[in-house]
Amino acid sequence: MTVSSPTTGERVEQAATRLFAQRGFHGTGIRRLAQESGLTSASLYHWMGTKEELLARLMRSALERLTADARAALAGAGEDPRERLDALVRVHVRAHAERPEQTRVVDGELGALTPDARAGVVALRAEYEDLWRTVIADGVDQGLLVVAQPDLARRAVLEMCSSVARWFRSDGGLGVAEVAEEHVSLARGALGAR
């Protein structure tokens, strides 16, 4: 099986993701980004537009993928809100464990965008969080989840699952699936699953 080399555009996006995750958007200079991409500074603009456009594109792409993965997981989860919650937790933990740089950029660089660019990213984030909001509301309505402040609980569970990007290591003793299952138990506990 032949492994193809990344295209120039893919190299730019990979380098930007890595640098934005390590140094932040504002701490990443164009020269460094060009060097990491194997391009000159002048030719870099052909592949990325502005640095902000590149950041917004990376964030939109990551959120679109996360939302698609969540929708697919929900489609196979059945109707029980607890099982649907489990599916969302697994998707979120896997994304943050397997793509930590990408998710750190999405989670940490929203403030680097101007209001117009931010609006599109915020809309995608809201679409994703609405999946969680609906599952939790269904669980509360059916008496299967018992939580006094559903929105606060949702934010707490998402933050807990997102933190995996900061500490998970593939050589750390637990695999992604095991970490995800532990988070399923923790999320059920936080949301009073019955």
Side-chain angles (χ1 to χ4, degrees):
M1 181 172 148
T2 305
V3 177
S4 62
S5 298
T7 66
T8 303
E10 290 168 339
R11 282 197 334 265
V12 170
E13 291 184 359
Q14 290 166 359
T17 299
R18 185 172 54 256
L19 291 170
F20 293 163
Q22 293 170 356
R23 300 169 166 263
F25 175 77
H26 294 296
T28 300
I30 292 297
R31 273 191 232 135
R32 180 67 185 261
L33 182 53
Q35 179 184 22
E36 292 282 324
S37 303
L39 300 170
T40 65
S41 296
S43 64
L44 179 63
Y45 286 103
H46 171 75
W47 295 102
M48 71 171 206
T50 68
K51 192 169 80 164
E52 182 190 34
E53 288 169 344
L54 176 59
L55 175 62
R57 186 170 64 245
L58 293 172
M59 294 174 92
R60 286 190 308 268
S61 175
L63 285 165
E64 288 165 356
R65 179 178 179 180
L66 184 62
T67 302
D69 290 348
R71 288 187 190 287
L74 288 172
E79 296 300 318
D80 187 319
R82 294 165 299 189
E83 293 174 13
R84 295 172 73 72
L85 171 67
D86 298 350
L88 289 175
V89 168
R90 288 181 188 112
V91 164
H92 202 81
V93 168
R94 274 194 206 107
H96 284 73
E98 294 172 351
R99 299 183 302 278
E101 291 178 330
Q102 184 183 70
T103 56
R104 279 198 304 264
V105 170
V106 172
D107 294 343
E109 295 297 330
L110 188 62
L113 297 175
T114 57
D116 286 344
R118 187 180 309 128
V121 173
V122 168
L124 288 169
R125 181 178 283 179
E127 181 183 339
Y128 175 69
E129 288 191 16
D130 280 345
L131 299 173
W132 285 77
R133 193 174 285 110
T134 299
V135 165
I136 292 169
D138 290 348
V140 170
D141 290 347
Q142 294 174 35
L144 299 172
L145 300 176
V146 180
V147 60
Q149 298 291 328
D151 279 341
L152 179 60
R154 173 184 50 79
R155 287 186 183 108
V157 169
L158 280 167
E159 187 62 33
M160 174 185 67
C161 295
S162 295
S163 74
V164 170
R166 292 188 293 276
W167 60 262
F168 178 78
R169 300 289 173 265
S170 58
D171 60 356
L174 290 176
V176 174
E178 293 165 303
V179 170
E181 290 312 309
E182 286 298 320
H183 279 74
V184 163
S185 296
L186 292 166
R188 279 187 172 227
L191 293 168
R194 294 184 172 187

